Coordinates of all heavy atoms in Angstrom, one line a residue:
M1 N -55.9 7.5 15.6 CA -54.6 6.8 15.7 C -54.9 5.3 15.6 O -55.7 4.8 16.3 CB -53.8 7.2 16.9 CG -52.5 6.5 17.1 SD -51.1 7.2 16.1 CE -50.8 8.7 17.0
Q2 N -54.2 4.6 14.7 CA -54.3 3.2 14.6 C -53.2 2.5 15.4 O -52.1 3.1 15.6 CB -54.1 2.8 13.1 CG -55.3 3.3 12.2 CD -56.6 2.6 12.6 OE1 -56.7 1.4 12.7 NE2 -57.6 3.5 12.7
P3 N -53.5 1.3 15.9 CA -52.4 0.6 16.6 C -51.2 0.3 15.7 O -51.4 0.0 14.5 CB -53.1 -0.8 17.0 CG -54.6 -0.4 17.0 CD -54.7 0.6 15.9
I4 N -50.0 0.5 16.2 CA -48.8 0.2 15.5 C -48.2 -1.1 16.2 O -48.0 -1.0 17.4 CB -47.8 1.4 15.5 CG1 -48.4 2.5 14.8 CG2 -46.5 1.0 14.8 CD1 -47.6 3.8 14.9
R5 N -47.9 -2.1 15.4 CA -47.4 -3.3 16.0 C -45.9 -3.6 15.6 O -45.5 -3.2 14.5 CB -48.3 -4.5 15.5 CG -49.7 -4.5 16.0 CD -50.5 -5.6 15.4 NE -51.9 -5.5 15.7 CZ -52.5 -6.0 16.8 NH1 -51.8 -6.6 17.7 NH2 -53.8 -5.8 17.1
R6 N -45.2 -4.1 16.6 CA -43.9 -4.5 16.3 C -43.9 -5.8 15.5 O -44.9 -6.4 15.2 CB -43.1 -4.8 17.7 CG -43.2 -3.7 18.7 CD -42.2 -4.0 19.8 NE -42.4 -5.3 20.4 CZ -41.8 -5.7 21.6 NH1 -41.1 -4.8 22.2 NH2 -42.0 -6.9 22.1
S7 N -42.7 -6.3 15.1 CA -42.6 -7.5 14.3 C -43.2 -8.7 15.0 O -43.6 -9.6 14.4 CB -41.2 -7.7 13.9 OG -40.3 -7.8 15.0
D8 N -43.2 -8.7 16.4 CA -43.7 -9.8 17.1 C -45.2 -9.7 17.4 O -45.8 -10.5 18.1 CB -42.9 -10.0 18.4 CG -43.1 -8.8 19.4 OD1 -43.8 -7.8 19.0 OD2 -42.5 -8.9 20.5
G9 N -45.8 -8.6 16.9 CA -47.3 -8.5 17.0 C -47.7 -7.6 18.1 O -48.9 -7.2 18.2
A10 N -46.9 -7.3 19.1 CA -47.2 -6.5 20.2 C -47.5 -5.0 19.8 O -46.7 -4.4 19.1 CB -46.1 -6.5 21.3
I11 N -48.5 -4.4 20.3 CA -48.9 -3.0 20.0 C -47.9 -2.1 20.7 O -47.7 -2.2 21.9 CB -50.3 -2.8 20.5 CG1 -51.3 -3.5 19.6 CG2 -50.6 -1.2 20.4 CD1 -52.8 -3.4 20.1
D12 N -47.3 -1.2 19.9 CA -46.2 -0.4 20.4 C -46.5 1.0 20.7 O -45.7 1.8 21.2 CB -45.0 -0.5 19.4 CG -43.7 -0.1 19.9 OD1 -43.5 -0.3 21.2 OD2 -42.8 0.3 19.2
N13 N -47.7 1.4 20.4 CA -48.1 2.8 20.6 C -49.3 3.0 21.5 O -50.2 3.9 21.2 CB -48.3 3.5 19.3 CG -49.5 3.0 18.5 OD1 -49.8 1.8 18.6 ND2 -50.1 3.8 17.6
A14 N -49.4 2.1 22.5 CA -50.6 2.1 23.3 C -50.9 3.5 23.9 O -52.1 3.8 24.1 CB -50.5 1.1 24.4
V15 N -49.9 4.2 24.2 CA -50.1 5.5 24.9 C -51.0 6.5 24.1 O -51.6 7.4 24.6 CB -48.8 6.2 25.3 CG1 -48.0 6.7 24.1 CG2 -49.0 7.2 26.3
H16 N -51.0 6.3 22.8 CA -51.8 7.1 21.9 C -53.1 6.5 21.5 O -53.9 7.0 20.7 CB -51.0 7.4 20.6 CG -49.7 8.0 20.8 ND1 -49.6 9.3 21.4 CD2 -48.4 7.6 20.6 CE1 -48.4 9.6 21.4 NE2 -47.6 8.6 21.0
L17 N -53.5 5.4 22.1 CA -54.7 4.6 21.8 C -55.7 4.7 22.9 O -55.6 5.5 23.9 CB -54.4 3.2 21.5 CG -53.4 3.0 20.3 CD1 -53.0 1.5 20.3 CD2 -53.9 3.5 19.0
M18 N -56.9 4.1 22.7 CA -57.9 4.0 23.7 C -58.1 2.6 24.2 O -57.6 1.7 23.6 CB -59.2 4.5 23.0 CG -59.2 5.8 22.3 SD -59.0 7.2 23.6 CE -60.6 7.2 24.3
A19 N -58.8 2.5 25.3 CA -59.0 1.2 26.0 C -59.5 0.2 25.0 O -59.1 -1.0 25.0 CB -59.9 1.4 27.2
R20 N -60.5 0.5 24.2 CA -61.0 -0.4 23.3 C -60.0 -0.9 22.2 O -60.2 -2.0 21.7 CB -62.2 0.2 22.5 CG -61.9 1.3 21.6 CD -63.1 1.7 20.9 NE -62.9 2.9 20.0 CZ -62.9 4.2 20.4 NH1 -63.3 4.4 21.6 NH2 -62.7 5.2 19.6
D21 N -59.0 -0.2 21.9 CA -58.0 -0.6 21.0 C -57.0 -1.6 21.5 O -56.4 -2.4 20.8 CB -57.1 0.6 20.5 CG -58.0 1.7 19.9 OD1 -58.9 1.3 19.1 OD2 -57.7 2.9 20.1
V22 N -56.8 -1.6 22.8 CA -55.7 -2.5 23.4 C -56.3 -3.6 24.3 O -55.5 -4.5 24.7 CB -54.8 -1.6 24.2 CG1 -54.0 -0.7 23.3 CG2 -55.5 -0.8 25.4
A23 N -57.6 -3.6 24.6 CA -58.1 -4.6 25.5 C -57.9 -6.0 25.0 O -58.2 -6.2 23.8 CB -59.6 -4.4 25.7
R24 N -57.3 -6.9 25.8 CA -57.1 -8.3 25.5 C -56.0 -8.4 24.4 O -55.8 -9.5 23.8 CB -58.4 -9.0 25.1 CG -59.4 -8.9 26.1 CD -60.7 -9.5 25.7 NE -60.7 -10.9 25.8 CZ -61.1 -11.6 26.8 NH1 -61.6 -11.0 27.9 NH2 -61.1 -12.9 26.8
E25 N -55.3 -7.3 24.1 CA -54.3 -7.4 23.0 C -52.9 -7.6 23.7 O -52.7 -7.4 24.9 CB -54.2 -6.1 22.2 CG -55.4 -5.9 21.4 CD -55.3 -6.7 20.1 OE1 -54.3 -7.4 19.8 OE2 -56.3 -6.6 19.3
T26 N -51.9 -8.0 22.9 CA -50.5 -8.0 23.4 C -50.0 -6.6 23.2 O -50.0 -6.0 22.1 CB -49.7 -9.0 22.5 OG1 -50.3 -10.3 22.5 CG2 -48.2 -9.1 23.1
V27 N -49.5 -6.0 24.3 CA -49.2 -4.6 24.3 C -47.9 -4.3 25.0 O -47.6 -4.8 26.2 CB -50.3 -3.8 25.1 CG1 -50.0 -2.3 25.2 CG2 -51.7 -4.0 24.4
V28 N -47.0 -3.5 24.4 CA -45.8 -3.1 25.0 C -46.1 -2.1 26.1 O -46.9 -1.2 25.9 CB -44.9 -2.4 24.0 CG1 -43.6 -2.0 24.6 CG2 -44.5 -3.4 22.9
C29 N -45.5 -2.3 27.3 CA -45.7 -1.4 28.4 C -45.5 0.0 28.0 O -44.4 0.4 27.5 CB -44.9 -1.8 29.6 SG -45.1 -0.6 31.0
H30 N -46.5 0.9 28.3 CA -46.4 2.3 27.9 C -45.6 3.1 28.9 O -45.3 4.3 28.7 CB -47.8 2.9 27.8 CG -48.9 2.0 28.2 ND1 -49.2 0.8 27.5 CD2 -49.6 1.9 29.4 CE1 -50.1 0.2 28.2 NE2 -50.4 0.8 29.3
G31 N -45.2 2.5 30.0 CA -44.4 3.1 31.0 C -42.9 2.9 30.7 O -42.1 3.8 30.5
C32 N -42.5 1.7 30.6 CA -41.0 1.4 30.4 C -40.6 1.0 29.0 O -39.5 1.0 28.7 CB -40.7 0.2 31.4 SG -41.6 -1.3 31.1
R33 N -41.7 0.7 28.1 CA -41.4 0.3 26.7 C -40.5 -0.9 26.6 O -39.9 -1.2 25.6 CB -40.7 1.5 26.0 CG -41.4 2.8 26.0 CD -42.7 2.7 25.2 NE -42.5 2.2 23.9 CZ -42.5 3.0 22.8 NH1 -42.7 4.3 23.0 NH2 -42.3 2.5 21.6
E34 N -40.5 -1.7 27.7 CA -39.7 -3.0 27.7 C -40.6 -4.2 28.0 O -40.6 -5.1 27.2 CB -38.6 -2.9 28.7 CG -37.5 -1.9 28.4 CD -36.5 -1.8 29.5 OE1 -36.5 -2.7 30.4 OE2 -35.7 -0.8 29.5
F35 N -41.4 -4.1 29.0 CA -42.2 -5.2 29.4 C -43.4 -5.3 28.4 O -43.8 -4.3 27.8 CB -42.8 -4.9 30.8 CG -43.7 -6.1 31.3 CD1 -43.1 -7.2 31.8 CD2 -45.1 -5.9 31.3 CE1 -43.9 -8.2 32.3 CE2 -45.9 -7.0 31.7 CZ -45.3 -8.1 32.3
V36 N -43.8 -6.6 28.2 CA -45.0 -6.8 27.2 C -46.1 -7.5 28.0 O -45.9 -8.5 28.7 CB -44.5 -7.7 26.1 CG1 -45.7 -8.0 25.2 CG2 -43.5 -7.0 25.2
F37 N -47.2 -6.8 28.0 CA -48.4 -7.4 28.6 C -49.0 -8.4 27.5 O -49.3 -8.0 26.4 CB -49.5 -6.3 28.9 CG -49.0 -5.3 29.9 CD1 -48.5 -4.1 29.6 CD2 -49.2 -5.7 31.3 CE1 -48.1 -3.2 30.6 CE2 -48.8 -4.8 32.3 CZ -48.2 -3.6 31.9
M38 N -49.2 -9.6 27.9 CA -49.6 -10.6 27.0 C -51.1 -10.5 26.7 O -51.6 -10.8 25.6 CB -49.4 -12.0 27.5 CG -47.9 -12.3 27.7 SD -46.9 -11.8 26.2 CE -47.4 -13.1 25.0
M39 N -51.9 -9.9 27.7 CA -53.3 -9.7 27.4 C -53.7 -8.4 28.3 O -54.2 -8.6 29.4 CB -54.2 -10.9 27.8 CG -55.6 -10.7 27.3 SD -56.7 -12.1 27.9 CE -56.1 -13.4 26.8
W40 N -53.5 -7.3 27.8 CA -53.8 -6.1 28.5 C -55.2 -6.1 28.9 O -56.1 -6.4 28.1 CB -53.5 -4.8 27.6 CG -53.9 -3.6 28.2 CD1 -55.0 -2.9 28.0 CD2 -53.2 -2.9 29.2 NE1 -55.1 -1.8 28.8 CE2 -54.0 -1.8 29.6 CE3 -52.0 -3.1 29.9 CZ2 -53.6 -0.8 30.6 CZ3 -51.6 -2.2 30.9 CH2 -52.4 -1.1 31.2
P41 N -55.6 -5.6 30.2 CA -54.6 -5.1 31.2 C -54.2 -6.1 32.2 O -53.7 -5.7 33.2 CB -55.5 -4.0 31.8 CG -56.8 -4.6 31.9 CD -57.0 -5.4 30.6
F42 N -54.3 -7.4 31.9 CA -54.0 -8.4 32.9 C -52.5 -8.2 33.3 O -51.6 -8.2 32.5 CB -54.2 -9.8 32.3 CG -54.0 -10.9 33.3 CD1 -54.9 -11.2 34.2 CD2 -52.8 -11.6 33.3 CE1 -54.7 -12.2 35.1 CE2 -52.5 -12.6 34.1 CZ -53.5 -12.9 35.1
G43 N -52.3 -8.2 34.6 CA -50.9 -8.1 35.2 C -50.4 -6.7 35.3 O -49.3 -6.5 35.8
W44 N -51.2 -5.7 35.0 CA -50.8 -4.3 35.1 C -50.4 -3.9 36.5 O -49.4 -3.2 36.8 CB -51.8 -3.3 34.6 CG -52.9 -3.1 35.6 CD1 -54.1 -3.8 35.7 CD2 -52.9 -2.1 36.6 NE1 -54.8 -3.3 36.7 CE2 -54.1 -2.2 37.3 CE3 -52.0 -1.1 37.0 CZ2 -54.5 -1.4 38.4 CZ3 -52.4 -0.3 38.1 CH2 -53.6 -0.5 38.8
D45 N -51.2 -4.4 37.5 CA -50.9 -4.0 38.9 C -49.6 -4.6 39.4 O -48.8 -3.9 40.1 CB -52.1 -4.4 39.8 CG -52.6 -5.8 39.6 OD1 -52.1 -6.5 38.6 OD2 -53.5 -6.2 40.3
V46 N -49.3 -5.9 39.1 CA -48.1 -6.5 39.5 C -46.9 -5.8 38.9 O -45.9 -5.4 39.6 CB -48.1 -8.0 39.2 CG1 -46.7 -8.6 39.5 CG2 -49.2 -8.7 39.9
H47 N -47.0 -5.6 37.6 CA -45.9 -4.9 36.9 C -45.6 -3.5 37.4 O -44.5 -3.1 37.7 CB -46.2 -4.9 35.4 CG -45.1 -4.1 34.6 ND1 -43.9 -4.6 34.5 CD2 -45.2 -3.0 33.9 CE1 -43.2 -3.7 33.7 NE2 -44.0 -2.8 33.4
S48 N -46.7 -2.7 37.5 CA -46.5 -1.3 37.9 C -46.1 -1.2 39.4 O -45.4 -0.2 39.8 CB -47.8 -0.5 37.7 OG -48.8 -1.0 38.5
A49 N -46.5 -2.1 40.2 CA -46.2 -2.0 41.6 C -44.7 -2.1 42.0 O -44.2 -1.5 42.9 CB -46.9 -3.2 42.4
S50 N -44.0 -2.9 41.2 CA -42.6 -3.0 41.5 C -41.6 -3.0 40.3 O -40.4 -2.7 40.5 CB -42.4 -4.4 42.3 OG -42.7 -5.5 41.4
R51 N -42.0 -3.4 39.2 CA -41.1 -3.7 38.1 C -40.9 -2.6 37.1 O -39.9 -2.4 36.4 CB -41.4 -5.0 37.4 CG -41.4 -6.1 38.3 CD -41.9 -7.4 37.6 NE -42.2 -8.4 38.6 CZ -43.0 -9.5 38.3 NH1 -43.4 -9.7 37.0 NH2 -43.3 -10.4 39.2
C52 N -42.0 -1.8 36.8 CA -41.9 -0.9 35.7 C -40.9 0.2 35.9 O -41.0 1.0 36.8 CB -43.3 -0.3 35.5 SG -43.4 0.7 34.0
A53 N -40.0 0.3 35.0 CA -38.9 1.2 35.1 C -39.4 2.7 34.8 O -38.6 3.6 35.0 CB -37.8 0.9 34.1
G54 N -40.5 2.8 34.2 CA -41.1 4.1 33.8 C -41.8 4.8 35.0 O -42.2 5.9 34.9
I55 N -41.9 4.1 36.1 CA -42.6 4.6 37.3 C -41.7 4.9 38.4 O -40.9 4.0 38.7 CB -43.8 3.7 37.7 CG1 -44.7 3.4 36.6 CG2 -44.5 4.3 39.0 CD1 -45.5 4.6 36.1
G56 N -41.7 6.0 39.0 CA -40.7 6.3 40.1 C -41.2 5.9 41.4 O -42.3 5.5 41.6
G57 N -40.3 5.9 42.4 CA -40.6 5.6 43.8 C -40.6 4.2 44.1 O -40.3 3.3 43.2
S58 N -40.8 3.8 45.4 CA -40.6 2.4 45.8 C -41.9 1.9 46.5 O -42.0 0.7 46.8 CB -39.4 2.3 46.7 OG -39.5 3.1 47.8
D59 N -42.8 2.8 46.8 CA -44.1 2.3 47.5 C -45.0 1.7 46.4 O -45.4 2.4 45.5 CB -44.7 3.5 48.1 CG -46.0 3.1 48.9 OD1 -46.9 2.5 48.3 OD2 -46.1 3.5 50.0
P60 N -45.3 0.4 46.6 CA -46.1 -0.3 45.5 C -47.4 0.4 45.2 O -47.8 0.5 44.1 CB -46.3 -1.7 46.1 CG -45.1 -1.9 47.0 CD -44.8 -0.5 47.6
E61 N -48.1 0.8 46.3 CA -49.4 1.4 46.1 C -49.3 2.7 45.4 O -50.1 3.0 44.5 CB -50.1 1.5 47.5 CG -50.5 0.2 48.1 CD -51.3 -0.7 47.2 OE1 -52.3 -0.1 46.5 OE2 -51.0 -1.8 47.0
K62 N -48.3 3.5 45.7 CA -48.2 4.8 45.0 C -47.8 4.6 43.6 O -48.2 5.3 42.7 CB -47.1 5.6 45.7 CG -47.6 6.2 47.1 CD -46.5 7.1 47.7 CE -47.0 7.6 49.0 NZ -45.9 8.3 49.8
R63 N -46.9 3.6 43.4 CA -46.5 3.3 42.0 C -47.7 2.9 41.1 O -47.9 3.3 40.0 CB -45.5 2.2 42.0 CG -44.1 2.6 42.5 CD -43.1 1.4 42.6 NE -43.0 0.7 41.4 CZ -42.1 1.1 40.4 NH1 -41.2 2.0 40.7 NH2 -42.0 0.4 39.3
K64 N -48.6 2.0 41.7 CA -49.8 1.6 41.0 C -50.7 2.8 40.7 O -51.2 2.9 39.6 CB -50.6 0.6 41.8 CG -49.9 -0.8 41.8 CD -50.8 -1.9 42.1 CE -51.3 -1.9 43.5 NZ -52.0 -3.2 43.9
L65 N -50.8 3.7 41.6 CA -51.7 4.9 41.4 C -51.1 5.8 40.3 O -51.8 6.3 39.5 CB -51.8 5.7 42.7 CG -52.7 5.1 43.8 CD1 -52.6 5.9 45.1 CD2 -54.2 5.1 43.3
E66 N -49.8 5.9 40.4 CA -49.1 6.7 39.3 C -49.3 6.1 37.9 O -49.6 6.8 37.0 CB -47.6 6.9 39.6 CG -46.8 7.5 38.6 CD -47.1 9.0 38.4 OE1 -47.9 9.5 39.2 OE2 -46.6 9.6 37.4
F67 N -49.1 4.8 37.8 CA -49.3 4.1 36.6 C -50.7 4.3 36.0 O -50.9 4.7 34.9 CB -49.0 2.6 36.8 CG -49.0 1.8 35.5 CD1 -47.8 1.6 34.8 CD2 -50.1 1.2 35.0 CE1 -47.7 0.9 33.6 CE2 -50.1 0.5 33.8 CZ -48.9 0.3 33.1
K68 N -51.7 4.1 36.9 CA -53.1 4.2 36.5 C -53.4 5.7 36.2 O -54.3 5.9 35.3 CB -54.0 3.7 37.5 CG -55.4 3.3 37.0 CD -56.1 2.3 37.8 CE -57.3 1.7 37.0 NZ -58.0 0.7 37.8
R69 N -52.8 6.6 36.9 CA -53.1 8.0 36.6 C -52.6 8.4 35.2 O -53.2 9.1 34.4 CB -52.4 8.9 37.6 CG -52.7 10.4 37.4 CD -52.0 11.3 38.5 NE -50.5 11.3 38.2 CZ -50.0 12.0 37.2 NH1 -50.7 12.7 36.4 NH2 -48.7 11.9 37.0
R70 N -51.4 7.9 34.9 CA -50.8 8.3 33.6 C -51.4 7.6 32.4 O -51.5 8.1 31.3 CB -49.3 7.9 33.6 CG -48.5 8.9 34.4 CD -47.0 8.4 34.6 NE -46.3 8.2 33.4 CZ -45.1 7.7 33.2 NH1 -44.4 7.4 34.4 NH2 -44.5 7.5 32.1
F71 N -51.9 6.4 32.6 CA -52.5 5.6 31.5 C -54.0 5.3 31.7 O -54.5 4.2 31.3 CB -51.7 4.3 31.3 CG -50.2 4.6 31.2 CD1 -49.3 4.2 32.1 CD2 -49.8 5.4 30.1 CE1 -48.0 4.5 32.0 CE2 -48.4 5.7 30.0 CZ -47.5 5.3 30.9
R72 N -54.7 6.2 32.4 CA -56.1 6.0 32.8 C -56.9 5.7 31.5 O -57.9 5.0 31.5 CB -56.6 7.3 33.4 CG -58.0 7.2 33.9 CD -58.3 8.4 34.8 NE -57.6 8.3 36.0 CZ -58.1 7.6 37.1 NH1 -59.2 6.9 37.0 NH2 -57.4 7.6 38.2
H73 N -56.5 6.3 30.4 CA -57.3 6.2 29.2 C -57.3 4.8 28.6 O -58.0 4.5 27.7 CB -56.9 7.2 28.2 CG -55.5 7.1 27.8 ND1 -54.4 7.3 28.6 CD2 -54.9 6.7 26.6 CE1 -53.3 7.1 28.0 NE2 -53.5 6.7 26.8
L74 N -56.4 3.9 29.1 CA -56.2 2.6 28.6 C -57.0 1.6 29.4 O -57.0 0.4 29.1 CB -54.8 2.2 28.5 CG -53.9 3.0 27.6 CD1 -52.5 2.6 27.6 CD2 -54.5 2.9 26.1
F75 N -57.7 2.1 30.5 CA -58.5 1.2 31.3 C -59.9 1.4 31.0 O -60.4 2.6 30.9 CB -58.2 1.5 32.8 CG -56.9 1.0 33.3 CD1 -55.8 1.9 33.2 CD2 -56.7 -0.2 33.8 CE1 -54.5 1.6 33.7 CE2 -55.4 -0.6 34.2 CZ -54.3 0.3 34.2
R76 N -60.7 0.3 30.9 CA -62.1 0.4 30.5 C -62.9 1.2 31.6 O -64.0 1.7 31.3 CB -62.7 -0.9 30.3 CG -62.3 -1.6 29.0 CD -63.0 -2.9 28.9 NE -62.6 -3.6 27.7 CZ -63.2 -3.4 26.5 NH1 -64.2 -2.5 26.4 NH2 -62.8 -4.0 25.4
D77 N -62.4 1.2 32.8 CA -63.2 1.8 33.9 C -62.8 3.3 34.1 O -62.9 3.8 35.1 CB -63.0 1.0 35.2 CG -61.5 1.2 35.7 OD1 -60.7 1.5 34.9 OD2 -61.3 0.9 36.8
A78 N -62.3 3.9 33.0 CA -61.8 5.3 33.1 C -62.8 6.2 33.8 O -62.4 7.2 34.3 CB -61.4 5.8 31.7
R79 N -64.1 5.9 33.7 CA -65.1 6.7 34.3 C -65.6 6.2 35.6 O -66.5 6.7 36.1 CB -66.2 7.0 33.3 CG -65.9 8.0 32.2 CD -67.0 8.3 31.3 NE -67.3 7.1 30.5 CZ -66.7 6.9 29.3 NH1 -65.7 7.7 28.9 NH2 -67.0 5.8 28.6
G80 N -64.9 5.2 36.2 CA -65.1 4.9 37.5 C -65.9 3.6 37.8 O -66.1 3.3 39.0
S81 N -66.4 2.9 36.9 CA -67.1 1.7 37.2 C -66.2 0.5 37.2 O -65.3 0.3 36.3 CB -68.2 1.4 36.2 OG -67.7 1.3 34.9
G82 N -66.3 -0.4 38.2 CA -65.5 -1.6 38.2 C -64.0 -1.3 38.5 O -63.7 -0.3 39.1
R83 N -63.1 -2.2 38.2 CA -61.7 -2.2 38.5 C -61.0 -1.1 37.8 O -61.0 -1.0 36.6 CB -61.1 -3.6 38.2 CG -60.0 -3.9 39.1 CD -59.6 -5.3 38.8 NE -58.6 -5.4 37.7 CZ -57.4 -5.8 37.8 NH1 -57.0 -6.2 39.0 NH2 -56.6 -5.9 36.8
Ligands
LIG1 ZN1 -43.5 -1.0 32.4

C-alpha cells in the first residue's frame, strides 16, 4: 500500500501503512480522522490522552494504551525497543 495524500499533503491512509512510511510525515490521525500530526509520531501521546475522538473512555493513560494498541504498527518501537 502506498501513502495516499490529501490536497494539503497530509497522509490520509496511515492505518494501512507501516512506521517507515509515516515517520516524520504530516499524517491525518488514524483514530479520529480529524486531527493532523505535523510530524508523526510527535504529539501522539498528548492527542490520544484527551483529544482523540476515536478513542473511548476518559482515563488518559488507558486512552494512550488503547491508541498505541490499535496503531502499534505505526510506531518504530513496535517490537519493544525505545519509546
Ligand atoms: Zn485522533
Side-chain angles (χ1 to χ4, degrees):
M1 179 80 71
Q2 294 293 312
I4 297 173
R5 295 177 187 271
R6 306 192 308 192
S7 56
D8 64 359
I11 293 175
D12 200 25
N13 64 333
V15 72
H16 299 299
L17 302 174
M18 303 293 287
R20 64 174 178 273
D21 298 319
V22 295
R24 305 173 78 92
E25 292 279 0
T26 304
V27 178
V28 178
C29 177
H30 8 290
C32 60
R33 305 292 306 257
E34 293 176 10
F35 183 79
V36 174
F37 294 98
M38 296 313 290
M39 190 185 289
W40 174 261
F42 185 79
W44 77 270
D45 45 353
V46 173
H47 175 66
S48 64
S50 61
R51 298 176 198 163
C52 187
I55 302 294
S58 57
D59 183 307
E61 292 306 315
K62 287 181 181 171
R63 289 175 56 89
K64 287 200 291 189
L65 285 173
E66 172 67 9
F67 188 91
K68 201 157 194 180
R69 184 184 68 75
R70 285 172 58 182
F71 306 115
R72 179 170 296 276
H73 60 294
L74 296 176
F75 290 89
R76 285 183 181 276
D77 66 341
R79 281 182 292 275
S81 60
R83 211 171 85 119

